[in-house]
Every structure is written in C-alpha cells, then in structure tokens.
Amino acid sequence: MSNLIPNPDGTYTRLIQLPIVPAQPDPSSPTTRVLSKDISLNPKTETMVRLFLPREVLDLPTPQIPIIFYYHGGAFIFLSATSSIFHEFCSTMALQLQVLIVSLEYRLAPEHRLPAAYDDAVDALHWIKTTKEEWISKFADLSNCFLMGSSSGGNLAYHAGLRACEVSDHLDPLKIKGLILHHPFFGGSERTGSELVMEDDPILPPRVCDAAWKWVLPVGADRDHEYCNPAVSNEFERCVAIREMGCRVLVAGCFGDPLIDRQMELGKMLEGKGIRTMTHFGNGFHGLEVSDPSKAPALFVVLKNFIYEL
C-alpha cells in the first residue's frame, strides 16, 4: 500500500493524515456545548478513550443518559479518535442524541493486525463497568449501551458486539442494547454486483479495499476470513448470541458505496436469524455523514428513533 512507509523498527509512517483536535473538558467555557476529555484505557497497549458529554447534562436533576461506544473509520490502518472529522461527528452526535459517547483509540494495523482492535473494544467494555471516572459514574446509564462504528469501525462494532453478547454475564452491570453499523467495512474474495459496477469509485474503489485487507487480516488469511466476510464463514452462526441478548441492530449505508450490496445482505442475514434489524439506506457515498456534516442530521434522526425506540 503506497500510503504506508515501513520503518526500521517495524512501525509504519502513514501518509494519510487528518488534523488532530484536542479535547475540550472545561465546562466554564460558554461556547462549548459538548465537553470532551481523554482517559487512558490500557497503558500496556497504549489505548485510550475520548469521552463526549453534552454540556447541558451537567444541569439536569437526573442526568443518567445512554452510552454509545464509537469506533472510528480508516480501514483499521489510518486515523484516530482524535482526528477532526471523528471528533466533530461525535461531538454533534452527543448533543443531538443526548448521549455520552466513548470514542475508542484502538490499535491499528499493520503493526497490530486483527483481532487486536476487537480485543481493545472488549477491553473498553470491561473498563467502563468498574471505572470511577466522574462522567461515567455520574452521567452514564450502564444499562443502556450501544456499540457504533463507521466504516472499519462498523466492522469493529459488529465483531465487538458478538464477543460482548457471548460474555454478557461478565459485563454486568453493562447492558448492550444495540449495534449501530454505519457504512460497515466488509469484504470477500468474490466481487459483489455493486463492487463491479463501482470498480473506479473515487472514494473507496474495491482494489483499495483489497490492499487494505492484506495489511489488516492475520498473516496468511484471505478475504473470506471471518473478520472480513461473515457471510461465508461459521462466524455468522455466532450471531445467535445477539438475538439471545435481545440486542437489536441498525445497518446504515449509501447506494453510492461499492460496499452497499454487502451491507444490505448483512441486514437480511441478521433479520433471517431472528434479530431485530433496522436498515437505513439512502443516496450518497461511503462515509457520507462523517465527511459531510450537513448530511448528518438525517442520520441522527434515525439513530434517535433506534436508541430511544420512538
């Protein structure tokens, strides 16, 4: 992959970079409608979370609000929870949905191939059930938690959700109520119809996805590995745990995304397993609501209906 330059120490220099936004934890700032702060998660893996809290929640008499664990995109290789587009997306989402967002800074490939990111996501779930962090203890409703991710983060939300539902007894008092798969990043050895039609897509051409998976999957795995293609693996049978937990799933995407056929098929397969599944597909391209904030309000309406079951 031309956007990765190997270093002598085994790390990689990434040529795809976005501006980094610092956290804004000061509630005394009159212009800050959403507070944010960074909390170290696991010093051994150098992971952390960025919390987002609507400023107005501080003044509520009973301020327990839902939690959304959010996983950023970037093909599991690029970007960060502190990248400007994800910071702004989470900040706006926290305000519009009145939720506390826990945005995970997970380990990236190729230094840390999958399942490292999945492990980090589960690690964060175990952390939140015992942490004494003030915003969590005062404002978070641990019984009303959702896992959400965009692009590769949507893939992460799916696999973290599978793992969480299988060990739900060990997560008490945390309760996973739903998974939100926003433009989820999946693949496979065989091209779908949408991938063939959009072979030269300017945002996410399939050949770029192919190259990314080579750096992300375990060494020697192909794109029909369970981490990439749940449709052709035994991994999909595990999703019965989602149903048994009473967990619901939202799959959202755009018809201009080469991955749309995979996303629509995933929704059908989940529904076929008896899982309460909601889908939301519209016009646009991969990552639309993250990269174009003017398109996000329509998505937030869908998310509010899903979270609060309106």
Side-chain angles (χ1 to χ4, degrees):
M1 182 174 281
S2 60
N3 291 313
L4 286 172
I5 299 176
N7 299 317
D9 63 356
T11 63
Y12 289 79
T13 297
R14 291 157 173 82
L15 300 184
I16 295 179
Q17 299 283 348
L18 290 177
I20 298 299
V21 176
Q24 301 166 317
D26 185 3
S28 65
S29 173
T31 60
T32 303
R33 300 188 66 190
V34 177
L35 307 177
S36 56
K37 63 179 171 181
D38 296 337
I39 306 293
S40 174
L41 178 62
N42 188 331
K44 291 182 179 179
T45 56
E46 299 183 340
T47 53
M48 68 98 175
V49 292
R50 173 164 290 188
L51 307 182
F52 294 84
L53 180 72
R55 169 66 180 79
E56 59 203 60
V57 171
L58 299 179
D59 302 320
L60 294 178
T62 54
Q64 296 284 300
I65 57 176
I67 308 168
I68 293 180
F69 278 89
Y70 181 77
Y71 313 115
H72 68 81
F76 291 111
I77 298 172
F78 303 102
L79 308 181
S80 161
T82 66
S83 296
S84 56
I85 58 171
F86 298 117
H87 177 94
E88 297 304 327
F89 182 73
C90 287
S91 182
T92 304
M93 182 163 56
L95 182 64
Q96 294 301 316
L97 302 185
Q98 288 295 288
V99 296
L100 190 155
I101 293 179
V102 182
S103 182
L104 176 65
E105 182 81 340
Y106 55 87
R107 288 173 291 172
L108 298 177
E111 293 93 336
H112 305 283
R113 291 173 177 260
L114 294 177
Y118 305 156
D119 294 339
D120 294 341
V122 175
D123 194 21
L125 297 178
H126 284 285
W127 165 82
I128 203 170
K129 71 176 186 177
T130 57
T131 182
K132 303 302 182 184
E133 202 290 316
E134 181 185 17
W135 288 4
I136 302 297
S137 59
K138 289 181 65 175
F139 306 118
D141 181 358
L142 295 181
S143 69
N144 198 11
C145 174
F146 296 82
L147 310 186
M148 174 182 179
S150 301
S151 190
S152 55
N155 175 304
L156 203 168
Y158 173 75
H159 285 285
L162 285 178
R163 293 176 174 215
C165 288
E166 290 174 338
V167 298
S168 58
D169 291 344
H170 299 287
L171 293 176
D172 284 338
L174 189 71
K175 300 294 183 184
I176 310 298
K177 291 296 186 68
L179 310 181
I180 301 169
L181 314 181
H182 179 237
H183 299 210
F185 180 66
F186 291 106
S189 295
E190 297 294 327
R191 289 281 190 257
T192 64
S194 59
E195 289 168 342
L196 290 171
V197 169
M198 291 180 265
E199 183 178 4
D200 295 318
D201 181 68
I203 304 296
L204 194 69
R207 63 182 177 275
V208 170
C209 297
D210 296 348
W213 284 117
K214 290 180 180 179
W215 292 99
V216 169
L217 292 170
V219 174
D222 64 21
R223 295 196 305 278
D224 285 332
H225 188 278
E226 61 194 36
Y227 298 159
C228 179
N229 188 1
V232 298
S233 70
N234 293 330
E235 176 85 350
F236 192 68
E237 297 302 319
R238 294 172 58 198
C239 74
V240 68
I242 298 175
R243 184 187 68 213
E244 291 176 349
M245 273 287 294
C247 191
R248 55 194 187 271
V249 180
L250 168 63
V251 183
C254 287
F255 293 117
D257 183 350
L259 302 181
I260 186 66
D261 282 358
R262 297 190 186 278
Q263 296 159 0
M264 295 177 70
E265 184 61 25
L266 178 64
K268 292 177 183 177
M269 290 191 297
L270 291 169
E271 193 169 23
K273 290 292 183 181
I275 297 168
R276 282 199 295 161
T277 305
M278 177 180 176
T279 58
H280 173 72
F281 301 113
N283 295 323
F285 49 83
H286 187 78
L288 171 69
E289 295 90 355
V290 174
S291 58
D292 184 354
S294 71
K295 304 298 183 183
L299 173 66
F300 294 153
V301 170
V302 174
L303 296 184
K304 181 174 287 189
N305 291 339
F306 180 76
I307 291 170
Y308 293 101
E309 297 190 277
L310 300 177

